[in-house]
Every structure is written in structure tokens, then in C-alpha cells.
Amino acid sequence: KVDPTSTAAVLAKRLLEGFISFTVYGEHYNPKTLALIQPADFTPFETALEALAQQMVAAMQSEQISFLPKLMRARGEALSFIGYFDDNNIKPPSSVDIGD
């Protein structure tokens, strides 16, 4: 619950403490990443990610033989973690760190 009389510093401290103490199925996951961004900085990222997704879809639809093994290898080597809606036994977990 957010206290409307709280200061930004108090709210930031509560946010960080909550993030640090958050567990999934009673376990802490490592590493944890907390990212804060300026909303204006998100649009260029979203545009670039959408362009990449369109290129990947085009490669899969054209059945480029060299693309699919690379995609499978990248997925296999990506840092995966249990997502909010995942069953605890899902292998590999569905949430993936796409990097910086």
C-alpha cells in the first residue's frame, strides 16, 4: 500500500526492500535485476525490438535453414527464470533475460 504522505525517498526504499525480499515459491533467485527507466527512453527500445521481431518472423516464414538452429541455440543459452504464470516444474522456465 502506498502512503500518499510518504516522500519519494521512503517510497524508493520500500520498493527496493520489497524487490530484494521477493521470492518465487519461497526461493530467492539470483541474479535479480531491477531496472528503472525514463518513459521517453522506452520508445526507441520498443521500436528496435519490434523491428528485430519482424525480421525473425520473416526468417522463420521463409524457412531460412541457418536461422532456426541459431535461434534455438540462443534460447538454450539465455538466462531463464520462472515466470509468474509458470508451473514450478516447467523446463526450461518461460521468462528469459534478453540482455542489455
Side-chain angles (χ1 to χ4, degrees):
K1 183 177 178 184
V2 176
D3 179 358
T5 63
S6 182
T7 66
V10 170
L11 180 60
K13 183 178 177 183
R14 286 185 59 205
L15 176 69
L16 182 60
E17 288 170 348
F19 176 76
I20 291 169
S21 66
F22 178 76
T23 61
V24 177
Y25 302 109
E27 294 183 32
H28 287 277
Y29 280 87
N30 189 11
K32 286 186 178 181
T33 303
L34 175 63
L36 301 174
I37 63 168
Q38 293 289 336
D41 294 341
F42 185 74
T43 301
F45 168 77
E46 182 182 33
T47 301
L49 188 60
E50 181 61 32
L52 174 62
Q54 289 176 5
Q55 290 174 350
M56 293 171 69
V57 168
M60 286 186 285
Q61 289 174 340
S62 71
E63 299 180 11
Q64 289 181 14
I65 295 174
S66 65
F67 176 74
L68 293 178
K70 291 176 185 174
L71 178 62
M72 291 170 58
R73 187 169 117 214
R75 173 59 180 100
E77 293 179 7
L79 177 63
S80 302
F81 47 96
I82 294 175
Y84 182 77
F85 296 106
D86 284 348
D87 179 291
N88 199 28
N89 297 317
I90 191 169
K91 301 288 183 208
S94 67
S95 295
V96 177
D97 183 348
I98 61 171
D100 298 331

